[in-house]
């Protein structure tokens, strides 16, 4: 047999294979293995048709032109759809026997290519593993494939709510959010997902001859958090909940960026206002939000707020007194009804803008308390190229104490070249702005940390052949012959 590089079969795999991609390092799924999987799951849940495998091999990586250029040809050799943990164990055991890379897929709403296989093999779709197992007090126990929207609706029916959820909550799975996400709606109060106490327990399966269940508790769960499924397949989660509030939604606009920003700052830093969302956006974003255009006067910057209904009247009056326009108040309703401002914040803002402005991309930047000055200097250095969108999250002070408000800038920027992206990021960092590079699908490309080392150590124990989403976790072993097949991304 020949090398698997450039789409050729690799040693140990049968020559009769479903070879669907010529990308370097591609590992095909042999016909005999397809038949074995069909015997386990039934023919309807083993996918080999090229168009469907292509769909199941992709996420929202196209937000980044860097990722799009390097990942659009990458795909699996086949995909399977799982409905039970027992089925998942059997599939993982088969992958281990046949040396097949395994990439786990949830709702595929990630933006970094988290669930795009770099070297073929199997995509394992977990959306059928979707039971809500228990809601007991302030803890929900749920299978990894459950959609976030269904979990939120179920817990709200008991007087609780998720501490943090993504703007993609309708499509996202809860396991995918934990495996590939970091923050979202609610983070202005509760912080990111990695804050101790939010994730109570994770159950994982190892990828071995006989897959084992591993249980991680409390802070130990961070070893598998935001690991892209590289060091264990999450099957079940326990998350702590918050008391449910009656959230009103408020849209506030104004023609003067400084006045709108000052109001956003005051609300963001006021701990006395219960809030779940605060988004601050420049006028250009408003023209992209087609369903909301009638609310948003041309040339107005705007704020999205989701606040406890007890704060609504006071905030509306304060905004009007500051000369701002209260464009819309959407009273609390259970269940939520359209329009939902949360679906026009976070990376949904980016989605709407990229659709309206081809040739643009985005960054993820953490600013300081002087965020207005930092953002102004960034725009001055790259005039007309950087469009401002802020979210606000709760984090930790240098002392380790929780409660620091962190302005997060998710600017949409004109894409000129990879070198230009590096220049923008380097200048931002020279201003004291922290950058989380969204133009790579590798964890740890920015350098090693204790958290990364803990993830690598877990992978060594759970994935002895290095078959789980190989290549995504920098510093971890990959199967022989595949290391040189991995694409290079934007290194900063």
């Amino acid at each position: 047999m020949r090398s698997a590089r450039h789409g050729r079969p690799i040693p140990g795999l049968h020559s009769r294979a479903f070879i669907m991609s010529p990308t370097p390092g591609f590992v095909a799924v042999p016909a005999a293995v397809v038949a074995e999987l069909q015997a386990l799951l039934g023919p309807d849940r083993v996918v080999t048709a090229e168009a469907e495998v292509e769909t199941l091999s992709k996420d929202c990586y196209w937000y980044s032109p860097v990722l799009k250029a390097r990942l659009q040809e990458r795909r699996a050799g086949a995909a399977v759809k799982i409905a039970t943990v027992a089925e998942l164990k059997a599939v993982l055991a088969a992958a281990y026997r046949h040396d097949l890379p395994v990439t786990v897929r949830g709702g595929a709403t990630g933006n970094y290519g988290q669930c795009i296989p770099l070297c073929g093999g199997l995509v394992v779709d977990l959306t059928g593993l979707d039971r809500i197992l228990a809601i007991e007090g302030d803890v929900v126990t749920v299978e990894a494939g459950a959609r976030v929207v269904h979990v939120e609706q179920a817990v709200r029916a008991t007087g609780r709510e998720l501490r943090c959820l993504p703007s993609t909550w309708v499509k996202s799975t809860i396991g995918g959010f934990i495996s590939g996400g970091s923050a979202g709606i609610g983070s202005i109060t509760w912080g990111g997902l990695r804050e101790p106490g939010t994730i109570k327990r994770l159950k994982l399966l190892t990828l071995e001859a006989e897959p084992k269940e591993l249980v991680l508790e409390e802070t130990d769960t961070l070893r598998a958090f935001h690991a892209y499924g590289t060091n264990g397949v999450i099957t079940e989660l326990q998350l702590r909940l918050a008391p449910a509030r009656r959230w009103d939604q408020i849209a506030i606009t104004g023609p003067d960026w400084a006045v709108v920003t000052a109001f956003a700052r005051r609300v963001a830093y006021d701990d006395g206002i219960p809030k779940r969302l605060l988004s601050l956006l420049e006028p250009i974003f408003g023209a992209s939000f087609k369903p909301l255009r009638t609310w948003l006067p041309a040339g107005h910057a705007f704020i999205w707020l989701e606040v406890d209904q007890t704060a609504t009247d006071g905030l509306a009056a304060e905004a009007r007194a500051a000369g701002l326009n209260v464009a819309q108040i959407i009273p609390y309703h259970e269940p939520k009804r359209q329009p939902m401002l949360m679906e026009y914040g976070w990376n949904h803002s980016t989605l709407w803008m990229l659709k309206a402005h081809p040739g643009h991309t985005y960054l993820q930047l953490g600013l300081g308390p002087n965020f207005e000055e930092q953002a102004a200097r960034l725009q001055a250095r790259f005039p007309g190229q950087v469009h401002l969108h802020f979210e606000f999250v709760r984090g930790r002070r240098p002392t380790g104490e929780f409660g620091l408000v962190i302005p997060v800038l998710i600017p949409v920027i004109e894409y000129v070249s990879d070198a230009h992206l590096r220049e923008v990021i380097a200048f931002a960092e020279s201003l004291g702005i922290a950058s989380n590079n969204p133009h790579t699908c590798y964890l740890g490309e920015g350098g090693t940390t204790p958290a990364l080392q803990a993830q690598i150590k877990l992978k060594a124990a759970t994935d002895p052949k290095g078959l789980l989403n190989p290549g995504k976790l920098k510093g971890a072993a990959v199967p022989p012959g595949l290391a040189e097949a991995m694409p290079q991304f934007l290194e900063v």
Side-chain angles (χ1 to χ4, degrees):
M1 294 290 181
R2 294 163 292 171
S3 164
R5 298 186 63 194
H6 306 290
R8 299 190 296 271
I10 66 169
L13 293 184
H14 303 280
S15 58
R16 290 183 61 210
F18 293 86
I19 301 177
M20 303 176 61
S21 173
T23 54
F26 184 80
V27 177
V29 180
V33 177
V34 169
E36 183 181 336
L37 294 170
Q38 289 174 333
L40 287 171
L41 304 175
D44 292 344
R45 290 195 285 131
V46 180
V47 180
T48 57
E50 183 165 353
E52 191 174 358
V53 171
E54 167 68 17
T55 297
L56 292 171
S57 297
K58 293 296 191 289
D59 59 14
C60 295
Y61 72 107
W62 57 267
Y63 277 38
S64 163
V66 178
L67 295 182
K68 185 175 180 180
R70 293 154 175 84
L71 294 180
Q72 61 186 347
E73 300 301 325
R74 302 272 172 163
R75 67 192 75 182
V80 295
K81 298 181 179 183
I82 298 299
T84 68
V85 174
E87 289 177 352
L88 180 57
K89 284 183 177 180
V91 167
L92 294 178
Y96 185 86
R97 285 194 301 275
H98 299 289
D99 295 328
L100 290 178
V102 170
T103 305
V104 177
R105 173 188 172 92
T109 57
N111 308 126
Y112 318 133
Q114 294 101 310
C115 69
I116 297 180
L118 296 181
C119 46
L122 274 181
V123 158
V124 178
D125 183 337
L126 293 187
T127 54
L129 201 66
D130 62 353
R131 294 179 300 161
I132 298 172
L133 301 172
I135 303 170
E136 299 171 322
D138 68 345
V139 175
V140 61
T141 305
V142 62
E143 289 184 321
R147 303 287 181 180
V148 175
V149 61
H150 297 147
V151 180
E152 173 74 353
Q153 289 170 346
V155 299
R156 284 194 70 87
T158 71
R160 300 289 189 271
E161 64 186 27
L162 292 170
R163 294 184 179 186
C164 179
L165 63 162
S167 62
T168 54
W169 69 313
V170 173
K171 265 193 87 175
S172 294
T173 63
I174 197 72
F177 189 36
I178 297 302
S179 295
S182 58
I185 292 88
S187 290
I188 192 168
T189 294
W190 294 98
L193 291 170
R194 71 167 54 252
E195 283 301 323
T198 294
I199 306 172
K200 184 178 186 296
R201 187 178 74 189
L202 296 178
K203 286 186 178 180
L204 317 173
L205 287 182
T206 63
L207 206 168
E208 301 176 90
E210 294 184 10
K212 302 182 186 70
E213 183 179 86
L214 178 65
V215 179
L216 304 179
E217 302 276 0
E218 303 296 354
T219 56
D220 204 31
T221 62
L222 297 181
R223 295 196 290 157
F225 165 71
H226 199 75
Y228 302 176
T230 58
N231 57 11
V233 180
I234 297 174
T235 59
E236 183 182 306
L237 310 88
Q238 281 191 343
L239 301 175
R240 286 193 175 87
L241 306 169
R245 288 185 177 270
R246 299 169 69 88
W247 300 109
D248 285 348
Q249 302 175 78
I250 312 173
I252 297 170
T253 78
D256 188 324
W257 172 252
V259 175
V260 177
T261 300
F263 186 82
R265 166 187 278 277
R266 205 211 65 74
V267 176
Y269 286 86
D270 187 341
D271 292 346
I273 301 172
K275 47 194 172 285
R276 207 180 196 194
L277 176 70
L278 196 168
S279 307
L280 169 64
L281 302 103
E282 283 195 307
I284 190 172
F285 284 83
S288 304
F289 298 160
K290 293 181 180 179
L292 309 184
R293 279 180 179 170
T294 56
W295 298 0
L296 303 173
H300 277 218
F302 54 98
I303 297 167
W304 302 146
L305 284 174
E306 200 166 314
V307 298
D308 189 279
Q309 62 180 13
T310 59
T312 299
D313 290 346
L315 283 171
E318 182 180 342
R320 293 185 181 107
L324 298 173
N325 170 45
V326 180
Q328 196 70 219
I329 296 176
I330 305 171
Y332 162 81
H333 187 275
E334 193 66 43
K336 277 192 169 184
R337 295 183 297 194
Q338 293 290 348
M340 302 178 202
L341 297 185
M342 60 187 278
E343 294 182 350
Y344 298 86
W346 286 88
N347 261 346
H348 256 70
S349 299
T350 310
L351 173 63
W352 286 98
M353 273 287 283
L354 296 185
K355 286 183 175 180
H357 297 274
H360 286 66
T361 187
Y362 75 117
L363 291 173
Q364 296 177 155
L365 306 170
L367 281 67
N370 61 331
F371 68 92
E372 302 97 331
E373 176 193 351
Q374 289 175 312
R377 292 181 65 185
L378 186 63
Q379 286 187 307
R381 174 64 180 80
F382 301 97
Q385 297 178 11
V386 179
H387 309 297
L388 303 181
H389 161 210
F390 288 95
E391 301 288 342
F392 295 84
V393 304
R394 197 67 67 158
R396 295 193 173 269
R397 298 183 173 90
T399 60
E401 179 189 6
F402 180 75
L404 178 68
V405 174
I406 302 171
V408 175
L409 178 59
I410 313 174
V412 169
I413 68 171
E414 181 181 354
Y415 177 71
V416 178
S417 65
D418 290 7
H420 180 262
L421 277 178
R422 292 191 189 94
E423 184 182 359
V424 175
I425 292 170
F427 184 75
E429 290 177 342
S430 76
L431 299 176
I433 296 172
S435 173
N436 179 25
N437 179 16
H439 301 285
T440 179
C441 74
Y442 296 144
L443 292 162
E445 193 156 67
T448 189
T449 64
L452 180 72
Q453 289 302 314
Q455 290 181 325
I456 293 170
K457 184 177 179 181
L458 179 62
K459 183 175 177 68
T462 59
D463 182 22
K465 288 187 176 181
L467 294 170
L468 283 172
N469 213 354
K472 300 281 180 68
L473 185 60
K474 283 283 190 176
V478 298
L482 294 185
E484 66 271 23
M486 299 301 167
Q488 298 299 309
F489 296 99
L490 187 75
E491 296 184 7
V492 294

